Amino acid sequence: VIVGGSGCGKSTLLKIMIGLQKPYSGQILYQGMDITRASDEELNDYRQNIGVLFQSSALFSSMTIKENIALPLTEYTDLDPETINNIINMKLGMVNLAGYENHNPSELSGGMKKRAGIARAMALDPRVLFLDELSAGLDPITAVELDELIINTNEALGTTMVIVSHE
């Protein structure tokens, strides 16, 4: 967990850790590879082993929840549509959103958008899951529910998680 006050650089550090931004100095090592000096191909391989939930969930508003979750699966795998559909249903079930696959993000509450973003971040079964301000903008009850979901997911899958929070 990376904790700090607003504006102290937590999200910037996260962007550096996922390879979206270069640091002024230092290294970010993942299984012996310095991602700050990685080639585009190495960085692409690295990104297929991580999942990211951005602060705003970063769901594409013009796509259904199903299409959002399918995006990494169609981009980075050769899976057939039926298998992709089964994975989507499984991931939605894991985040308690079964039945919402044909909804657009605008039809979901803030907590549901976060859970849909988590489902998309977990689509490729990443080794590391990065979560930026998971509870930002949510009421206390929904925030606690998301915390419990993350704890349960971690216990069930054993995925390494990096959580950024100001709380």
Side-chain angles (χ1 to χ4, degrees), residues 25-100:
S25 64
Q27 296 177 307
I28 302 292
L29 300 174
Y30 175 77
Q31 296 188 332
M33 177 184 65
D34 181 359
I35 67 162
T36 65
R37 290 175 178 74
S39 68
D40 287 344
E41 185 178 322
E42 290 171 321
L43 208 47
N44 193 35
D45 289 343
Y46 165 70
R47 288 186 181 135
Q48 290 180 47
N49 286 297
I50 65 171
V52 182
L53 173 68
F54 293 99
Q55 245 175 324
S56 62
S57 301
L59 297 169
F60 292 101
S61 60
S62 62
M63 300 168 78
T64 65
I65 299 308
K66 178 180 181 175
E67 292 167 334
N68 268 281
I69 298 169
L71 188 61
L73 295 165
T74 55
E75 286 291 315
Y76 296 112
T77 72
D78 294 324
L79 297 171
D80 62 89
E82 183 179 346
T83 302
I84 289 174
N85 196 52
N86 289 337
I87 292 170
I88 291 167
N89 290 333
M90 181 179 68
K91 300 302 177 180
L92 286 173
M94 289 173 68
V95 297
N96 302 318
L97 283 179
Y100 286 90

